[in-house]
């Protein structure tokens, strides 16, 4: 079957929520004194926006085929990622067939390896890759999860990330992951407050509901080990991203030192098969959490997840809305998914990438059946302010 060739690639930046889910207004739980690696500086402790967590904004990539069909995707990366897509990566797409997913990925990655490999560059590669899968699905009139091998279960099951696991329980989620509020710079008192929050939530949700701590790279090994042992008393299911993503040695040590039965999870800021190979070979964690929009897209996630499967490691992607859902439904080693609570008080379910996606599905009673709509099953909301800073055709 011949497909129309790619005739245009466009990259836009959008502000205000969406894929850059940290870009929220005042008073949102996601920016309320959450421990970070910058918490050692008192002036950056209260708000992550104060050190620039939302500085990039959302990247929107559109890929248009010669018959006018458009695939698109959103991730974080903003204006610098627009430059990479328009001025560098578009050359690997224009005039090519949209079925050349592997070759295009390979050329974007190796063509930028001398300045890329991780971070923003791989976010941009991921955005292009996801837009390509969306285009392919729309051209074939099939959902992406069909192209990935088909569903292995009827519906997705979710845990919720947010400040109110007690409310998440009432909304039907299987667990609640809380932001850790205090880091090592806040000493013993901060540690005590962290444990008190966990104890309060445990009391509210009862024994069986999963509770987890998201530590957003804020801790050192000593603090993380102490926190894990104290939190074990309150049945913490996992300790997430406790250390810097570069500290593979620290994670390997933490996994050895964590209480029996508590899972060590990480990987949302890791990228590509090589980064995840390191995490797995060094036995850093029990669950890996690639973000589909940051780790290299679905093309790379498939490779990462196959490695994990052969090692008995679960792959529970970080956030990433429909891009995660279409993947998770196809994998036995991804038995549940994350839902990030975007309501400012974490008291209701809102679409994770609102307002950028139209038709974005959300869990109902903690579950979701995916539709058979083509591609990732969503449309770009053209009412948001799409700004195209560079017009490049890859030159
Ligand atoms: C709540 C965390 O600090 C972060 O904003 C989201 C995250 O790491 C996760 O969903 O996982
Ligand atoms: Mg996390």
């Amino acid at each position: 079957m011949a497909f129309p060739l790619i005739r245009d690639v466009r990259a836009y930046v959008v502000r205000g929520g969406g894929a850059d889910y940290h870009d929220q207004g005042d008073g949102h739980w996601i920016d309320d004194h959450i421990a970070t690696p910058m918490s050692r500086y008192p002036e950056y402790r209260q708000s992550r926006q104060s050190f620039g967590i939302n500085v990039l904004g959302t990247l929107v990539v559109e890929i248009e085929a010669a018959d006018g069909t458009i695939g698109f995707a959103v991730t974080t990366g903003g204006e610098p990622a627009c430059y990479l897509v328009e001025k560098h990566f578009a050359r690997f797409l224009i005039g090519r067939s949209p079925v050349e997913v592997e070759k295009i990925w390979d050329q974007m990655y190796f063509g930028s390896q001398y300045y890329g490999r991780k971070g923003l560059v791989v976010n941009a590669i991921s955005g292009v890759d996801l837009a390509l899968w969306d285009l392919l699905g729309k051209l074939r009139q099939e959902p992406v999860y069909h192209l990935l091998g088909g569903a292995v279960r009827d519906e997705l099951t979710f845990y919720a990330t947010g400040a109110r696991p007690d409310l998440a329980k009432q909304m039907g989620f299987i667990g609640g992951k809380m932001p850790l509020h205090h880091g090592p710079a806040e000493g013993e008192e901060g540690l005590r407050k962290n444990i008190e929050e966990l104890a309060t939530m445990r009391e509210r949700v009862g024994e069986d509901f999963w509770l987890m701590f998201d530590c957003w790279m804020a801790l050192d090994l000593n603090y993380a080990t102490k926190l894990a042992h104290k939190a074990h008393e309150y049945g913490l299911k996992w300790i997430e991203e406790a250390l810097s993503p570069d500290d593979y040695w620290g994670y390997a040590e933490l996994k050895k030192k964590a209480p029996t039965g508590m899972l060590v999870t990480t990987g949302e800021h890791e990228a590509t098969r090589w980064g995840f190979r390191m995490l797995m070979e060094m036995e850093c964690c029990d669950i890996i959490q690639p973000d589909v929009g940051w780790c290299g897209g679905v093309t790379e996630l498939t490779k990462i997840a196959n490695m994990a499967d052969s090692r008995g490691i679960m792959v529970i992607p970080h956030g990433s809305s429909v891009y995660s859902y279409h993947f998770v439904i196809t994998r036995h080693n991804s038995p549940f998914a994350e839902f990030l609570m975007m309501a400012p008080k974490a008291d209701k379910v809102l679409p994770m990438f609102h307002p950028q996606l139209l038709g974005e599905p959300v869990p109902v009673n903690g579950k979701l059946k995916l539709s058979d709509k083509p591609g990732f099953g969503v449309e770009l909301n053209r009412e948001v302010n799409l700004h195209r800073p560079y017009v490049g055709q890859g030159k």
Side-chain angles (χ1 to χ4, degrees):
M1 182 176 173
F3 287 99
L5 302 184
I6 294 169
R7 72 173 175 208
D8 200 11
V9 176
R10 298 180 287 271
Y12 306 91
V13 57
V14 188
R15 297 305 312 241
D20 192 356
Y21 58 89
H22 290 121
D23 197 17
Q24 304 289 345
D26 288 347
H28 198 291
W29 71 264
I30 209 156
D31 202 24
D32 184 17
H33 200 111
I34 291 178
T36 80
M38 293 292 279
S39 304
R40 70 186 77 170
Y41 304 104
E43 67 273 32
Y44 296 125
R45 205 170 277 166
Q46 176 53 36
S47 155
R48 297 196 280 190
Q49 292 193 6
S50 70
F51 69 75
I53 196 171
N54 59 336
V55 78
L56 291 173
T58 293
L59 164 72
V60 180
V61 179
E62 279 192 307
I63 306 179
E64 186 174 326
D67 69 348
T69 308
I70 296 174
F72 86 99
V74 300
T75 182
T76 45
E79 188 164 331
C82 289
Y83 184 91
L84 296 175
V85 173
E86 296 256 8
K87 298 289 184 187
H88 195 172
F89 300 146
R91 76 188 65 205
F92 304 122
L93 292 114
I94 308 277
R96 296 279 190 78
S97 167
V99 300
E100 292 180 28
V101 172
E102 283 286 339
K103 186 167 157 190
I104 290 168
W105 196 98
D106 207 64
Q107 293 187 348
M108 289 192 292
Y109 181 78
F110 287 106
S112 63
Q113 196 180 36
Y114 65 99
Y115 67 82
R117 298 175 46 238
K118 285 179 192 260
L120 178 73
V121 179
V122 181
N123 288 18
I125 292 175
S126 307
V128 175
D129 182 74
L130 294 171
L132 204 50
W133 279 95
D134 189 51
L135 175 61
L136 212 46
K138 284 175 175 153
L139 289 169
R140 288 181 189 264
Q141 286 294 296
E142 284 190 75
V144 169
Y145 73 88
H146 282 188
L147 307 182
L148 294 175
V152 296
R153 62 184 81 85
D154 292 341
E155 58 186 6
L156 295 159
T157 302
F158 290 87
Y159 77 87
T161 296
R164 296 298 302 270
D166 51 338
L167 301 182
K169 185 181 179 197
Q170 290 167 19
M171 290 180 242
F173 291 95
I174 55 172
K177 187 172 80 187
M178 306 185 275
L180 189 80
H181 284 121
H182 308 279
E186 289 176 79
E188 288 300 321
E189 197 193 333
L191 182 61
R192 202 167 42 249
K193 285 186 189 160
N194 287 331
I195 295 298
E196 272 166 22
E197 282 177 41
L198 174 63
T200 305
M201 278 303 156
R202 175 56 73 208
E203 199 163 309
R204 289 191 196 165
V205 299
E207 259 179 39
D208 297 333
F209 190 71
W210 300 353
L211 286 176
M212 300 78 106
F213 264 144
D214 189 316
C215 308
W216 213 74
M217 308 170 278
L219 311 182
D220 55 49
L221 178 61
N222 180 42
Y223 191 99
T225 309
K226 258 209 250 177
L227 177 73
H229 282 270
K230 286 184 186 294
H232 191 46
E233 268 184 56
Y234 301 95
L236 191 77
K237 185 171 176 71
W238 76 58
I239 178 164
E240 175 168 323
E241 224 191 6
L243 309 173
S244 157
D246 289 323
D247 191 1
Y248 302 100
W249 307 268
Y251 277 107
E253 210 43 46
L254 179 61
K255 188 166 141 45
K256 286 190 202 123
K257 290 187 157 131
T260 310
M262 185 184 293
L263 305 173
V264 174
T265 74
T266 193
E268 76 184 64
H269 296 100
E270 189 54 85
T272 76
R273 73 201 83 154
W274 299 283
F276 281 93
R277 178 178 167 183
M278 188 80 121
L279 281 180
M280 290 185 245
E281 284 194 357
M282 287 189 64
E283 298 186 12
C284 292
C285 55
D286 302 284
I287 296 180
I288 55 166
Q289 301 167 305
D291 185 297
V292 194
W294 302 344
C295 73
V298 156
T299 305
E300 196 62 1
L301 181 56
T302 304
K303 296 179 171 97
I304 294 164
N306 287 344
M307 278 196 290
D309 200 6
S310 73
R311 290 170 168 269
I313 291 179
M314 276 196 268
V315 180
I316 308 298
H318 168 252
S320 46
S321 183
V322 289
Y323 307 109
S324 156
Y325 308 160
H326 278 253
F327 186 80
V328 167
I329 199 84
T330 69
R331 310 295 298 207
H332 283 296
N333 62 328
S334 303
F336 56 91
E338 174 179 14
F339 189 78
L340 256 158
M341 299 298 279
M342 282 298 111
K345 302 282 171 229
D347 53 358
K348 55 178 177 258
V349 169
L350 293 181
M352 209 190 295
F353 282 180
H354 176 81
Q356 293 157 6
L357 304 182
L358 295 179
E360 185 182 357
V362 291
V364 176
N365 213 4
K367 305 260 187 213
L368 175 64
K369 276 195 198 319
L370 276 188
S371 83
D372 279 354
K373 287 186 195 152
F376 287 104
V378 286
E379 294 303 325
L380 179 60
N381 180 2
R382 292 185 183 278
E383 282 179 10
V384 299
N385 186 8
L386 293 166
H387 169 55
R388 189 178 180 192
Y390 307 100
V391 180
Q393 301 297 303
K395 293 186 193 88

